[in-house]
Coordinates of all heavy atoms in Angstrom, one line a residue:
M1 N 65.4 54.5 79.1 CA 66.1 55.7 79.6 C 65.8 56.9 78.6 O 66.0 56.7 77.4 CB 67.6 55.4 79.7 CG 68.4 56.6 80.2 SD 70.1 56.3 80.5 CE 70.0 55.3 81.9
P2 N 65.5 58.0 79.1 CA 65.2 59.2 78.2 C 66.5 59.6 77.5 O 67.6 59.4 77.9 CB 64.8 60.3 79.2 CG 64.6 59.7 80.5 CD 65.3 58.4 80.5
M3 N 66.3 60.1 76.3 CA 67.4 60.6 75.5 C 67.3 62.1 75.2 O 66.2 62.7 75.4 CB 67.5 59.8 74.2 CG 66.4 60.0 73.2 SD 66.6 59.0 71.7 CE 66.2 57.4 72.2
I4 N 68.4 62.6 74.9 CA 68.5 64.1 74.6 C 69.3 64.3 73.3 O 70.1 63.5 73.0 CB 69.2 64.8 75.8 CG1 69.1 66.3 75.7 CG2 70.7 64.3 75.9 CD1 69.6 67.0 77.0
L5 N 68.9 65.3 72.6 CA 69.6 65.7 71.4 C 70.2 67.1 71.7 O 69.6 68.0 72.2 CB 68.6 65.9 70.3 CG 69.1 66.3 68.9 CD1 70.1 65.3 68.4 CD2 67.9 66.4 67.9
R6 N 71.5 67.1 71.4 CA 72.2 68.4 71.5 C 72.6 68.9 70.1 O 73.2 68.2 69.3 CB 73.6 68.2 72.2 CG 73.4 67.8 73.7 CD 74.8 67.6 74.3 NE 74.7 67.4 75.7 CZ 74.9 68.3 76.6 NH1 75.2 69.5 76.2 NH2 74.9 68.0 77.9
L7 N 72.0 70.1 69.8 CA 72.3 70.7 68.5 C 72.2 72.2 68.6 O 71.1 72.7 68.9 CB 71.2 70.1 67.5 CG 71.6 70.3 66.0 CD1 71.0 69.1 65.2 CD2 71.2 71.6 65.5
S8 N 73.3 72.8 68.5 CA 73.3 74.3 68.7 C 72.4 75.0 67.8 O 72.4 74.7 66.6 CB 74.7 74.8 68.6 OG 74.8 76.1 68.9
G9 N 71.6 75.9 68.3 CA 70.7 76.7 67.5 C 69.3 76.2 67.3 O 68.5 76.9 66.7
A10 N 69.1 75.0 67.7 CA 67.8 74.4 67.6 C 66.9 74.8 68.7 O 67.3 75.0 69.8 CB 67.9 72.8 67.6
T11 N 65.6 75.0 68.4 CA 64.6 75.3 69.4 C 64.2 74.1 70.2 O 64.5 72.9 69.8 CB 63.3 75.9 68.7 OG1 62.7 74.8 68.0 CG2 63.6 77.1 67.9
D12 N 63.6 74.2 71.3 CA 63.1 73.1 72.1 C 62.2 72.2 71.3 O 62.2 71.0 71.4 CB 62.4 73.6 73.4 CG 63.3 74.1 74.4 OD1 64.6 73.9 74.3 OD2 62.8 74.8 75.4
E13 N 61.3 72.8 70.5 CA 60.4 72.1 69.6 C 61.2 71.3 68.6 O 60.8 70.1 68.4 CB 59.4 73.0 68.9 CG 58.4 72.3 68.1 CD 57.5 73.3 67.4 OE1 57.1 74.3 67.9 OE2 57.1 73.0 66.2
E14 N 62.1 71.8 68.0 CA 62.9 71.1 67.0 C 63.7 69.9 67.6 O 63.7 68.8 67.1 CB 63.9 72.0 66.3 CG 63.3 73.0 65.4 CD 64.2 74.1 64.9 OE1 65.1 74.5 65.7 OE2 64.0 74.6 63.8
L15 N 64.3 70.2 68.8 CA 65.0 69.1 69.5 C 64.0 68.0 69.9 O 64.4 66.8 69.8 CB 65.6 69.7 70.8 CG 66.8 70.7 70.5 CD1 67.2 71.4 71.8 CD2 68.0 70.0 69.9
A16 N 62.8 68.3 70.4 CA 61.9 67.3 70.7 C 61.4 66.5 69.5 O 61.3 65.3 69.6 CB 60.6 68.0 71.4
R17 N 61.3 67.2 68.4 CA 61.0 66.5 67.1 C 62.1 65.5 66.8 O 61.8 64.4 66.3 CB 60.7 67.5 66.0 CG 60.1 67.0 64.8 CD 59.7 68.1 63.8 NE 60.8 68.9 63.5 CZ 60.8 70.3 63.4 NH1 59.7 70.9 63.8 NH2 61.9 70.9 63.1
G18 N 63.3 65.9 66.9 CA 64.4 65.0 66.6 C 64.5 63.8 67.6 O 64.7 62.7 67.1
V19 N 64.3 64.0 68.8 CA 64.3 62.9 69.8 C 63.1 61.9 69.5 O 63.3 60.7 69.5 CB 64.2 63.4 71.2 CG1 63.8 62.3 72.2 CG2 65.5 64.1 71.7
A20 N 62.0 62.5 69.1 CA 60.8 61.6 68.8 C 61.1 60.8 67.6 O 60.8 59.6 67.5 CB 59.6 62.5 68.6
A21 N 61.8 61.3 66.6 CA 62.2 60.6 65.4 C 63.2 59.5 65.7 O 63.0 58.3 65.3 CB 62.8 61.5 64.3
A22 N 64.1 59.8 66.6 CA 65.1 58.7 67.0 C 64.4 57.6 67.7 O 64.7 56.4 67.5 CB 66.2 59.4 67.8
Q23 N 63.6 58.0 68.7 CA 62.8 57.0 69.4 C 62.0 56.1 68.5 O 61.9 54.9 68.8 CB 62.0 57.7 70.5 CG 62.8 58.3 71.6 CD 62.0 59.2 72.5 OE1 61.0 59.8 72.1 NE2 62.4 59.3 73.8
A24 N 61.4 56.7 67.5 CA 60.5 55.9 66.6 C 61.4 54.9 65.8 O 61.0 53.7 65.7 CB 59.8 56.8 65.7
V25 N 62.6 55.3 65.4 CA 63.4 54.4 64.6 C 63.9 53.2 65.5 O 63.8 52.1 65.1 CB 64.7 55.2 64.1 CG1 65.7 54.2 63.6 CG2 64.2 56.1 63.0
L26 N 64.3 53.6 66.7 CA 64.8 52.5 67.6 C 63.6 51.6 68.0 O 63.8 50.4 68.1 CB 65.4 53.1 68.9 CG 66.7 53.8 68.7 CD1 67.2 54.6 69.9 CD2 67.8 52.9 68.2
A27 N 62.4 52.1 68.3 CA 61.3 51.3 68.6 C 60.9 50.4 67.5 O 60.6 49.2 67.7 CB 60.1 52.2 69.0
A28 N 61.0 50.9 66.3 CA 60.6 50.0 65.1 C 61.6 48.9 65.0 O 61.3 47.8 64.5 CB 60.6 50.9 63.8
A29 N 62.9 49.1 65.3 CA 63.9 48.1 65.2 C 63.9 47.2 66.5 O 64.6 46.2 66.5 CB 65.3 48.8 65.1
G30 N 63.2 47.6 67.5 CA 63.2 46.8 68.7 C 64.5 46.9 69.5 O 64.9 45.9 70.1
V31 N 65.1 48.1 69.4 CA 66.4 48.3 70.0 C 66.3 49.5 71.0 O 65.7 50.5 70.7 CB 67.5 48.6 68.9 CG1 68.8 49.0 69.5 CG2 67.6 47.4 68.0
T32 N 66.9 49.3 72.2 CA 66.9 50.5 73.1 C 68.2 51.3 72.8 O 69.1 50.8 72.1 CB 67.0 50.0 74.6 OG1 68.2 49.3 74.8 CG2 65.8 49.1 74.9
L33 N 68.2 52.5 73.3 CA 69.4 53.3 73.1 C 70.6 52.6 73.7 O 71.7 52.6 73.1 CB 69.1 54.7 73.8 CG 70.3 55.7 73.7 CD1 70.6 56.0 72.2 CD2 69.9 57.0 74.4
E34 N 70.5 52.0 74.8 CA 71.6 51.3 75.5 C 72.1 50.2 74.6 O 73.3 50.0 74.5 CB 71.2 50.8 76.9 CG 70.8 51.9 77.8 CD 69.4 52.4 77.7 OE1 68.6 51.9 77.0 OE2 69.1 53.5 78.3
Q35 N 71.2 49.4 74.1 CA 71.6 48.3 73.2 C 72.3 48.8 72.0 O 73.3 48.2 71.5 CB 70.3 47.5 72.8 CG 69.7 46.7 73.9 CD 68.4 46.1 73.6 OE1 67.6 46.7 72.8 NE2 68.0 45.0 74.2
G36 N 71.8 49.9 71.4 CA 72.4 50.4 70.2 C 73.8 50.9 70.5 O 74.7 50.7 69.7
E37 N 73.9 51.6 71.7 CA 75.3 52.1 72.0 C 76.3 51.0 72.2 O 77.4 51.1 71.8 CB 75.2 53.0 73.3 CG 74.5 54.3 73.0 CD 74.3 55.2 74.2 OE1 74.2 54.6 75.3 OE2 74.2 56.4 74.0
R38 N 75.8 49.9 72.9 CA 76.8 48.8 73.1 C 77.1 48.1 71.8 O 78.3 47.8 71.6 CB 76.1 47.7 74.1 CG 76.2 48.1 75.5 CD 75.8 46.9 76.4 NE 74.5 46.4 76.2 CZ 73.4 46.9 76.8 NH1 73.4 47.9 77.6 NH2 72.2 46.4 76.5
A39 N 76.2 48.0 70.9 CA 76.4 47.4 69.6 C 77.3 48.3 68.8 O 78.2 47.8 68.1 CB 75.1 47.2 68.9
L40 N 77.1 49.6 68.8 CA 78.0 50.5 68.1 C 79.4 50.4 68.6 O 80.4 50.4 67.8 CB 77.5 51.9 68.3 CG 78.1 53.0 67.4 CD1 77.8 52.6 65.9 CD2 77.5 54.3 67.7
W41 N 79.6 50.3 69.9 CA 80.9 50.1 70.5 C 81.6 48.8 70.0 O 82.7 48.8 69.7 CB 80.8 50.1 72.1 CG 82.0 49.9 72.8 CD1 82.5 48.8 73.3 CD2 83.0 51.0 73.1 NE1 83.7 49.0 73.9 CE2 84.1 50.4 73.8 CE3 83.1 52.3 72.8 CZ2 85.2 51.1 74.2 CZ3 84.2 53.0 73.2 CH2 85.2 52.4 73.9
E42 N 80.8 47.8 70.0 CA 81.3 46.5 69.5 C 81.7 46.5 68.1 O 82.8 46.0 67.6 CB 80.4 45.3 69.8 CG 80.9 44.0 69.5 CD 80.0 42.8 70.0 OE1 79.2 43.1 70.8 OE2 80.2 41.7 69.5
R43 N 80.9 47.2 67.3 CA 81.2 47.3 65.8 C 82.4 48.1 65.6 O 83.3 47.8 64.8 CB 80.0 47.9 65.1 CG 80.2 47.9 63.6 CD 79.0 48.6 62.9 NE 79.0 50.0 63.1 CZ 78.0 50.8 62.8 NH1 76.9 50.3 62.2 NH2 78.1 52.1 63.1
E44 N 82.5 49.2 66.3 CA 83.7 50.1 66.2 C 85.0 49.3 66.7 O 86.1 49.5 66.1 CB 83.6 51.4 67.0 CG 82.6 52.3 66.4 CD 82.9 52.8 65.0 OE1 84.0 53.1 64.8 OE2 82.0 52.8 64.2
G45 N 84.9 48.5 67.7 CA 86.0 47.7 68.1 C 86.4 46.7 67.1 O 87.6 46.4 66.9
W46 N 85.4 46.1 66.3 CA 85.8 45.2 65.2 C 86.5 45.9 64.2 O 87.5 45.4 63.6 CB 84.4 44.6 64.7 CG 84.5 44.0 63.4 CD1 85.2 42.8 63.1 CD2 83.8 44.3 62.2 NE1 85.0 42.5 61.8 CE2 84.2 43.4 61.2 CE3 83.0 45.4 61.9 CZ2 83.7 43.5 59.9 CZ3 82.5 45.5 60.6 CH2 82.8 44.5 59.6
D47 N 86.1 47.1 63.9 CA 86.8 48.0 62.9 C 88.3 48.2 63.3 O 89.2 48.0 62.6 CB 86.1 49.3 62.7 CG 86.8 50.3 61.9 OD1 87.8 50.0 61.3 OD2 86.4 51.5 62.0
I48 N 88.4 48.7 64.6 CA 89.7 49.1 65.0 C 90.6 47.9 65.3 O 91.8 47.9 64.8 CB 89.6 50.0 66.3 CG1 88.9 51.3 66.0 CG2 90.9 50.2 67.0 CD1 88.4 52.0 67.2
A49 N 90.1 46.9 66.0 CA 91.0 45.8 66.4 C 91.2 44.8 65.3 O 92.2 44.1 65.2 CB 90.4 45.1 67.6
H50 N 90.2 44.7 64.4 CA 90.3 43.6 63.4 C 90.2 44.0 62.0 O 90.2 43.2 61.1 CB 89.1 42.6 63.7 CG 89.1 42.0 65.1 ND1 90.1 41.2 65.5 CD2 88.3 42.2 66.1 CE1 89.9 40.9 66.8 NE2 88.8 41.5 67.2
D51 N 90.2 45.3 61.7 CA 90.3 45.9 60.4 C 89.2 45.2 59.5 O 89.5 44.8 58.3 CB 91.7 45.7 59.8 CG 91.9 46.7 58.6 OD1 91.2 47.7 58.5 OD2 92.7 46.3 57.7
F52 N 88.0 45.1 60.0 CA 86.9 44.6 59.2 C 87.1 43.1 58.8 O 86.5 42.7 57.8 CB 86.6 45.4 58.0 CG 86.2 46.9 58.3 CD1 87.1 47.9 58.1 CD2 84.9 47.2 58.9 CE1 86.7 49.2 58.4 CE2 84.6 48.5 59.2 CZ 85.5 49.5 58.9
A53 N 87.8 42.4 59.5 CA 88.1 40.9 59.2 C 86.7 40.2 59.3 O 86.1 40.2 60.3 CB 89.1 40.3 60.1
D54 N 86.4 39.5 58.2 CA 85.2 38.7 58.1 C 85.1 37.7 59.2 O 84.0 37.4 59.7 CB 85.0 38.1 56.7 CG 84.7 39.1 55.7 OD1 84.2 40.2 56.0 OD2 84.9 38.7 54.5
D55 N 86.2 37.0 59.5 CA 86.2 36.0 60.5 C 86.0 36.5 62.0 O 85.8 35.8 62.9 CB 87.4 35.1 60.4 CG 88.7 35.8 60.7 OD1 88.8 37.1 60.5 OD2 89.7 35.2 61.2
K56 N 86.1 37.8 62.1 CA 85.9 38.5 63.4 C 84.6 39.3 63.5 O 84.4 40.1 64.4 CB 87.1 39.4 63.8 CG 88.4 38.7 63.8 CD 88.5 37.7 64.9 CE 90.0 37.2 64.9 NZ 90.2 36.2 65.9
L57 N 83.8 39.2 62.5 CA 82.5 40.0 62.4 C 81.6 39.8 63.6 O 81.4 38.6 64.0 CB 81.8 39.5 61.1 CG 80.5 40.3 60.7 CD1 80.9 41.7 60.3 CD2 79.8 39.6 59.6
P58 N 81.2 40.8 64.2 CA 80.2 40.7 65.3 C 79.0 40.0 64.9 O 78.6 40.0 63.7 CB 79.9 42.2 65.7 CG 81.1 42.9 65.2 CD 81.5 42.2 63.9
P59 N 78.2 39.4 65.8 CA 77.0 38.7 65.4 C 76.0 39.7 64.7 O 76.0 40.9 64.9 CB 76.4 38.3 66.8 CG 77.5 38.3 67.7 CD 78.5 39.4 67.2
E60 N 75.1 39.1 63.9 CA 74.2 39.9 63.1 C 73.3 40.8 64.0 O 73.0 41.9 63.7 CB 73.3 39.0 62.3 CG 72.2 39.7 61.5 CD 72.7 40.7 60.5 OE1 73.8 40.5 60.0 OE2 72.0 41.8 60.3
S61 N 73.0 40.3 65.2 CA 72.1 41.1 66.1 C 72.9 42.3 66.6 O 72.3 43.4 66.7 CB 71.8 40.2 67.4 OG 72.9 39.8 68.1
V62 N 74.2 42.2 66.7 CA 75.0 43.4 67.1 C 75.0 44.4 65.9 O 74.8 45.6 66.1 CB 76.4 43.0 67.5 CG1 77.3 44.2 67.6 CG2 76.4 42.2 68.8
M63 N 75.3 43.9 64.7 CA 75.3 44.7 63.5 C 74.0 45.4 63.3 O 73.9 46.6 62.9 CB 75.8 43.9 62.3 CG 77.2 43.3 62.5 SD 78.4 44.6 62.7 CE 78.7 45.0 61.0
A64 N 72.9 44.7 63.5 CA 71.5 45.3 63.3 C 71.3 46.4 64.3 O 70.7 47.4 64.0 CB 70.5 44.2 63.4
A65 N 71.6 46.1 65.6 CA 71.4 47.2 66.6 C 72.3 48.4 66.4 O 71.8 49.5 66.5 CB 71.7 46.6 68.0
A66 N 73.5 48.2 65.9 CA 74.4 49.4 65.6 C 73.8 50.1 64.4 O 73.8 51.4 64.4 CB 75.8 48.9 65.3
S67 N 73.3 49.4 63.4 CA 72.7 50.1 62.3 C 71.4 50.9 62.7 O 71.2 51.9 62.2 CB 72.3 49.0 61.2 OG 71.7 49.6 60.1
A68 N 70.6 50.3 63.6 CA 69.4 51.0 64.1 C 69.8 52.3 64.8 O 69.2 53.3 64.6 CB 68.7 50.1 65.0
L69 N 70.9 52.3 65.5 CA 71.3 53.5 66.2 C 71.9 54.5 65.2 O 71.6 55.7 65.3 CB 72.4 53.2 67.3 CG 72.8 54.4 68.1 CD1 71.6 55.1 68.8 CD2 73.9 54.1 69.1
D70 N 72.6 54.0 64.2 CA 73.0 54.9 63.1 C 71.8 55.6 62.5 O 71.8 56.8 62.3 CB 73.7 54.2 62.0 CG 75.1 53.7 62.4 OD1 75.7 54.2 63.3 OD2 75.6 52.7 61.8
K71 N 70.8 54.8 62.1 CA 69.6 55.4 61.5 C 68.9 56.3 62.4 O 68.3 57.4 62.0 CB 68.7 54.3 61.1 CG 69.2 53.5 59.9 CD 68.4 52.2 59.6 CE 69.0 51.4 58.5 NZ 68.3 50.1 58.3
A72 N 68.8 56.0 63.7 CA 68.2 56.9 64.7 C 68.9 58.3 64.8 O 68.3 59.3 64.9 CB 68.2 56.2 66.1
H73 N 70.2 58.2 64.8 CA 71.0 59.5 64.8 C 70.6 60.4 63.6 O 70.4 61.6 63.7 CB 72.5 59.2 64.7 CG 73.1 58.9 66.1 ND1 73.7 57.7 66.3 CD2 73.2 59.6 67.2 CE1 74.1 57.6 67.6 NE2 73.8 58.8 68.1
W74 N 70.6 59.8 62.4 CA 70.3 60.5 61.2 C 68.8 61.0 61.2 O 68.5 62.1 60.8 CB 70.6 59.8 59.9 CG 72.1 59.8 59.7 CD1 72.9 58.7 59.9 CD2 72.9 60.9 59.4 NE1 74.2 59.1 59.6 CE2 74.2 60.5 59.3 CE3 72.6 62.2 59.1 CZ2 75.3 61.3 59.0 CZ3 73.7 63.1 58.8 CH2 75.0 62.6 58.7
A75 N 67.9 60.2 61.7 CA 66.5 60.5 61.8 C 66.3 61.7 62.7 O 65.6 62.6 62.4 CB 65.7 59.4 62.2
A76 N 67.1 61.7 63.8 CA 67.0 62.8 64.8 C 67.5 64.1 64.2 O 66.8 65.2 64.3 CB 67.9 62.5 66.0
M77 N 68.6 64.1 63.5 CA 69.1 65.3 62.9 C 68.2 65.8 61.7 O 67.9 67.0 61.7 CB 70.5 65.0 62.3 CG 71.3 66.3 61.9 SD 71.1 66.8 60.2 CE 71.8 65.5 59.3
E78 N 67.7 64.9 60.9 CA 66.8 65.3 59.8 C 65.5 65.9 60.3 O 65.0 66.9 59.8 CB 66.5 64.1 58.9 CG 67.7 63.6 58.1 CD 68.2 64.7 57.0 OE1 67.3 65.4 56.5 OE2 69.4 64.7 56.8
A79 N 64.9 65.3 61.3 CA 63.7 65.8 61.9 C 63.9 67.1 62.6 O 63.1 68.0 62.5 CB 63.1 64.7 62.8
C80 N 64.9 67.2 63.3 CA 65.2 68.4 64.1 C 65.5 69.6 63.1 O 65.0 70.7 63.3 CB 66.4 68.2 65.0 SG 66.9 69.7 65.9
C81 N 66.2 69.3 62.0 CA 66.7 70.4 61.1 C 65.8 70.5 59.9 O 66.2 71.1 58.9 CB 68.1 70.1 60.7 SG 69.2 70.1 62.2
A82 N 64.6 69.9 59.9 CA 63.8 70.0 58.7 C 63.5 71.5 58.4 O 63.2 72.2 59.3 CB 62.4 69.3 59.0
G83 N 63.8 71.8 57.1 CA 63.5 73.2 56.7 C 64.7 74.1 56.9 O 64.7 75.3 56.5
W84 N 65.8 73.7 57.5 CA 67.0 74.5 57.7 C 67.7 74.6 56.4 O 67.7 73.6 55.6 CB 67.9 73.9 58.7 CG 67.5 73.9 60.2 CD1 66.2 74.1 60.6 CD2 68.3 73.9 61.3 NE1 66.2 74.1 62.0 CE2 67.5 74.0 62.4 CE3 69.7 73.8 61.5 CZ2 68.0 73.9 63.7 CZ3 70.2 73.7 62.8 CH2 69.4 73.8 63.9
A85 N 68.3 75.7 56.1 CA 69.0 75.9 54.8 C 70.2 75.0 54.8 O 70.6 74.5 53.7 CB 69.4 77.4 54.7
E86 N 70.9 74.8 55.9 CA 72.1 74.1 56.0 C 72.1 73.2 57.2 O 71.7 73.6 58.3 CB 73.3 75.0 56.1 CG 74.6 74.5 55.6 CD 75.7 75.5 55.6 OE1 75.4 76.6 54.9 OE2 76.7 75.3 56.2
K87 N 72.5 71.9 57.0 CA 72.5 71.0 58.1 C 73.8 71.2 58.9 O 74.8 71.5 58.4 CB 72.5 69.5 57.6 CG 71.3 69.1 56.8 CD 70.0 69.1 57.6 CE 68.9 68.5 56.8 NZ 67.9 69.4 56.4
P88 N 73.7 71.1 60.3 CA 74.8 71.4 61.1 C 75.8 70.3 61.1 O 75.5 69.1 60.7 CB 74.2 71.5 62.5 CG 73.0 70.6 62.4 CD 72.5 70.8 61.0
A89 N 77.1 70.6 61.4 CA 78.1 69.6 61.4 C 78.2 68.8 62.7 O 78.5 67.7 62.8 CB 79.5 70.2 61.1
G90 N 77.9 69.5 63.8 CA 78.1 68.9 65.1 C 76.7 68.7 65.9 O 76.0 69.7 66.1
W91 N 76.4 67.5 66.3 CA 75.2 67.2 67.1 C 75.4 65.9 67.8 O 76.3 65.1 67.3 CB 74.0 67.2 66.2 CG 74.1 66.4 64.9 CD1 74.6 66.8 63.7 CD2 73.8 65.0 64.8 NE1 74.6 65.8 62.8 CE2 74.1 64.7 63.4 CE3 73.3 64.1 65.6 CZ2 73.9 63.4 62.9 CZ3 73.1 62.8 65.1 CH2 73.4 62.5 63.7
Q92 N 74.7 65.7 68.8 CA 74.8 64.5 69.6 C 73.4 64.0 70.1 O 72.6 64.8 70.5 CB 75.7 64.7 70.9 CG 77.1 64.9 70.6 CD 77.9 65.2 71.9 OE1 77.6 66.1 72.6 NE2 78.9 64.3 72.1
L93 N 73.3 62.7 70.1 CA 72.1 62.1 70.7 C 72.6 61.2 71.8 O 73.5 60.3 71.5 CB 71.4 61.2 69.6 CG 70.1 60.5 70.0 CD1 69.0 61.5 70.3 CD2 69.6 59.6 68.9
E94 N 72.1 61.4 73.0 CA 72.7 60.6 74.1 C 71.6 60.5 75.2 O 70.5 61.0 75.1 CB 73.9 61.3 74.7 CG 73.8 62.8 74.9 CD 75.1 63.5 75.1 OE1 76.2 63.0 74.8 OE2 75.0 64.7 75.6
H95 N 72.0 59.7 76.3 CA 71.1 59.5 77.4 C 70.9 60.9 78.1 O 71.9 61.6 78.4 CB 71.8 58.6 78.4 CG 71.9 57.2 78.0 ND1 73.1 56.6 77.8 CD2 71.0 56.3 77.6 CE1 72.9 55.4 77.3 NE2 71.6 55.2 77.2
A96 N 69.7 61.1 78.5 CA 69.4 62.4 79.2 C 70.1 62.4 80.6 O 70.5 63.5 81.0 CB 67.9 62.5 79.4
D97 N 70.3 61.3 81.2 CA 71.0 61.2 82.5 C 72.4 61.5 82.4 O 73.1 61.9 83.4 CB 70.8 59.8 83.1 CG 69.4 59.6 83.5 OD1 68.6 60.5 83.6 OD2 69.0 58.4 83.8
D98 N 73.0 61.4 81.2 CA 74.4 61.7 81.0 C 74.7 63.2 80.7 O 75.9 63.5 80.5 CB 75.0 60.9 79.8 CG 75.0 59.4 80.1 OD1 74.8 59.0 81.3 OD2 75.0 58.6 79.2
C99 N 73.7 64.0 80.6 CA 73.8 65.4 80.1 C 73.6 66.4 81.3 O 73.0 66.1 82.3 CB 72.8 65.6 79.0 SG 73.0 64.5 77.7
S100 N 74.1 67.5 81.0 CA 74.0 68.6 82.0 C 72.7 69.3 81.9 O 72.4 70.2 82.7 CB 75.1 69.6 81.8 OG 75.0 70.3 80.5
G101 N 71.8 69.0 81.0 CA 70.5 69.6 80.9 C 70.4 70.6 79.8 O 69.4 71.2 79.6
Q102 N 71.5 70.8 79.1 CA 71.5 71.8 78.0 C 70.9 71.2 76.7 O 71.0 70.0 76.5 CB 72.9 72.3 77.7 CG 73.6 73.0 78.8 CD 75.0 73.3 78.5 OE1 75.7 72.6 77.7 NE2 75.6 74.3 79.2
D103 N 70.3 72.0 75.9 CA 69.7 71.5 74.6 C 68.8 70.3 74.8 O 69.0 69.3 74.1 CB 70.8 71.3 73.6 CG 71.6 72.5 73.3 OD1 71.0 73.6 73.3 OD2 72.7 72.3 72.9
R104 N 67.9 70.4 75.7 CA 67.0 69.2 76.0 C 66.1 69.0 74.8 O 65.5 69.9 74.2 CB 66.2 69.5 77.2 CG 67.0 69.4 78.5 CD 66.1 69.5 79.7 NE 65.4 70.8 79.8 CZ 66.0 71.9 80.2 NH1 67.2 71.9 80.7 NH2 65.4 73.1 80.3
G105 N 65.8 67.7 74.6 CA 64.9 67.3 73.5 C 63.8 66.4 74.0 O 62.9 66.2 73.3
G106 N 63.9 65.9 75.1 CA 62.7 65.0 75.6 C 63.2 63.9 76.4 O 64.2 63.4 76.5

């Protein structure tokens, strides 16, 4: 599924560069955006419901997929904002089908 990067003030070229970086990170990890999102949800649930209890730790595959999505988010922001004097506080990487079409990245 295509993904989109939302980052106010970024050009279409910068957004596309950010999406490409995120896609590369996920591809290298063998994780789809959907798998990463499900894993992130499960990891966050472990945090909230179990307060990081070791005996409730999600499987390694879940933790690895969530980590890959974390890295993809940062890669997208870093690639998009390369050369910016200041990194923005608010940005999102999400499914293109879930978006209204604003701030398209690819």
